[in-house]
mmCIF file with all atom_site columns, all heavy atoms in Angstrom:
data_model
loop_
_atom_site.group_PDB
_atom_site.id
_atom_site.type_symbol
_atom_site.label_atom_id
_atom_site.label_alt_id
_atom_site.label_comp_id
_atom_site.label_asym_id
_atom_site.label_entity_id
_atom_site.label_seq_id
_atom_site.pdbx_PDB_ins_code
_atom_site.Cartn_x
_atom_site.Cartn_y
_atom_site.Cartn_z
_atom_site.occupancy
_atom_site.B_iso_or_equiv
_atom_site.pdbx_formal_charge
_atom_site.auth_seq_id
_atom_site.auth_comp_id
_atom_site.auth_asym_id
_atom_site.auth_atom_id
_atom_site.pdbx_PDB_model_num
ATOM 1  N N   . ASP A 1 181 ? 2.250  -22.494 -31.644 1.00 86.00 ? 420 ASP A N   1
ATOM 2  C CA  . ASP A 1 181 ? 0.957  -23.084 -32.010 1.00 86.00 ? 420 ASP A CA  1
ATOM 3  C C   . ASP A 1 181 ? 0.394  -22.411 -33.256 1.00 86.00 ? 420 ASP A C   1
ATOM 4  O O   . ASP A 1 181 ? 0.710  -21.264 -33.589 1.00 86.00 ? 420 ASP A O   1
ATOM 5  C CB  . ASP A 1 181 ? -0.032 -23.035 -30.827 1.00 86.00 ? 420 ASP A CB  1
ATOM 6  C CG  . ASP A 1 181 ? -0.573 -21.644 -30.632 1.00 86.00 ? 420 ASP A CG  1
ATOM 7  O OD1 . ASP A 1 181 ? 0.219  -20.768 -30.244 1.00 86.00 ? 420 ASP A OD1 1
ATOM 8  O OD2 . ASP A 1 181 ? -1.755 -21.437 -30.898 1.00 86.00 ? 420 ASP A OD2 1
ATOM 9  N N   . LEU A 1 182 ? -0.482 -23.147 -33.960 1.00 87.00 ? 421 LEU A N   1
ATOM 10 C CA  . LEU A 1 182 ? -0.921 -22.723 -35.293 1.00 87.00 ? 421 LEU A CA  1
ATOM 11 C C   . LEU A 1 182 ? -1.743 -21.443 -35.248 1.00 87.00 ? 421 LEU A C   1
ATOM 12 O O   . LEU A 1 182 ? -1.619 -20.589 -36.130 1.00 87.00 ? 421 LEU A O   1
ATOM 13 C CB  . LEU A 1 182 ? -1.734 -23.848 -35.944 1.00 87.00 ? 421 LEU A CB  1
ATOM 14 C CG  . LEU A 1 182 ? -0.936 -25.150 -36.092 1.00 87.00 ? 421 LEU A CG  1
ATOM 15 C CD1 . LEU A 1 182 ? -1.748 -26.204 -36.815 1.00 87.00 ? 421 LEU A CD1 1
ATOM 16 C CD2 . LEU A 1 182 ? 0.367  -24.874 -36.845 1.00 87.00 ? 421 LEU A CD2 1
ATOM 17 N N   . GLY A 1 183 ? -2.563 -21.283 -34.204 1.00 85.00 ? 422 GLY A N   1
ATOM 18 C CA  . GLY A 1 183 ? -3.376 -20.065 -34.092 1.00 85.00 ? 422 GLY A CA  1
ATOM 19 C C   . GLY A 1 183 ? -2.489 -18.836 -34.041 1.00 85.00 ? 422 GLY A C   1
ATOM 20 O O   . GLY A 1 183 ? -2.767 -17.813 -34.681 1.00 85.00 ? 422 GLY A O   1
ATOM 21 N N   . THR A 1 184 ? -1.394 -18.941 -33.292 1.00 87.00 ? 423 THR A N   1
ATOM 22 C CA  . THR A 1 184 ? -0.464 -17.818 -33.164 1.00 87.00 ? 423 THR A CA  1
ATOM 23 C C   . THR A 1 184 ? 0.189  -17.500 -34.504 1.00 87.00 ? 423 THR A C   1
ATOM 24 O O   . THR A 1 184 ? 0.291  -16.333 -34.908 1.00 87.00 ? 423 THR A O   1
ATOM 25 C CB  . THR A 1 184 ? 0.616  -18.153 -32.114 1.00 87.00 ? 423 THR A CB  1
ATOM 26 O OG1 . THR A 1 184 ? -0.026 -18.346 -30.857 1.00 87.00 ? 423 THR A OG1 1
ATOM 27 C CG2 . THR A 1 184 ? 1.633  -17.030 -31.999 1.00 87.00 ? 423 THR A CG2 1
ATOM 28 N N   . ILE A 1 185 ? 0.611  -18.558 -35.231 1.00 88.00 ? 424 ILE A N   1
ATOM 29 C CA  . ILE A 1 185 ? 1.241  -18.335 -36.539 1.00 88.00 ? 424 ILE A CA  1
ATOM 30 C C   . ILE A 1 185 ? 0.229  -17.694 -37.497 1.00 88.00 ? 424 ILE A C   1
ATOM 31 O O   . ILE A 1 185 ? 0.567  -16.758 -38.234 1.00 88.00 ? 424 ILE A O   1
ATOM 32 C CB  . ILE A 1 185 ? 1.785  -19.657 -37.114 1.00 88.00 ? 424 ILE A CB  1
ATOM 33 C CG1 . ILE A 1 185 ? 2.896  -20.184 -36.199 1.00 88.00 ? 424 ILE A CG1 1
ATOM 34 C CG2 . ILE A 1 185 ? 2.322  -19.442 -38.528 1.00 88.00 ? 424 ILE A CG2 1
ATOM 35 C CD1 . ILE A 1 185 ? 3.552  -21.440 -36.717 1.00 88.00 ? 424 ILE A CD1 1
ATOM 36 N N   . ALA A 1 186 ? -1.004 -18.192 -37.464 1.00 86.00 ? 425 ALA A N   1
ATOM 37 C CA  . ALA A 1 186 ? -2.033 -17.633 -38.355 1.00 86.00 ? 425 ALA A CA  1
ATOM 38 C C   . ALA A 1 186 ? -2.221 -16.147 -38.073 1.00 86.00 ? 425 ALA A C   1
ATOM 39 O O   . ALA A 1 186 ? -2.262 -15.319 -39.002 1.00 86.00 ? 425 ALA A O   1
ATOM 40 C CB  . ALA A 1 186 ? -3.352 -18.383 -38.158 1.00 86.00 ? 425 ALA A CB  1
ATOM 41 N N   . HIS A 1 187 ? -2.291 -15.775 -36.780 1.00 84.00 ? 426 HIS A N   1
ATOM 42 C CA  . HIS A 1 187 ? -2.439 -14.359 -36.441 1.00 84.00 ? 426 HIS A CA  1
ATOM 43 C C   . HIS A 1 187 ? -1.225 -13.554 -36.877 1.00 84.00 ? 426 HIS A C   1
ATOM 44 O O   . HIS A 1 187 ? -1.354 -12.426 -37.360 1.00 84.00 ? 426 HIS A O   1
ATOM 45 C CB  . HIS A 1 187 ? -2.612 -14.196 -34.927 1.00 84.00 ? 426 HIS A CB  1
ATOM 46 C CG  . HIS A 1 187 ? -4.023 -14.363 -34.482 1.00 84.00 ? 426 HIS A CG  1
ATOM 47 N ND1 . HIS A 1 187 ? -5.031 -13.542 -34.916 1.00 84.00 ? 426 HIS A ND1 1
ATOM 48 C CD2 . HIS A 1 187 ? -4.608 -15.273 -33.663 1.00 84.00 ? 426 HIS A CD2 1
ATOM 49 C CE1 . HIS A 1 187 ? -6.182 -13.922 -34.391 1.00 84.00 ? 426 HIS A CE1 1
ATOM 50 N NE2 . HIS A 1 187 ? -5.952 -14.983 -33.615 1.00 84.00 ? 426 HIS A NE2 1
ATOM 51 N N   . ALA A 1 188 ? -0.031 -14.149 -36.703 1.00 84.00 ? 427 ALA A N   1
ATOM 52 C CA  . ALA A 1 188 ? 1.195  -13.432 -37.063 1.00 84.00 ? 427 ALA A CA  1
ATOM 53 C C   . ALA A 1 188 ? 1.245  -13.189 -38.573 1.00 84.00 ? 427 ALA A C   1
ATOM 54 O O   . ALA A 1 188 ? 1.771  -12.169 -39.040 1.00 84.00 ? 427 ALA A O   1
ATOM 55 C CB  . ALA A 1 188 ? 2.419  -14.225 -36.606 1.00 84.00 ? 427 ALA A CB  1
#
Side-chain angles (χ1 to χ4, degrees):
Chain A
D420 76 292
L421 301 183
T423 298
I424 296 183
H426 275 299

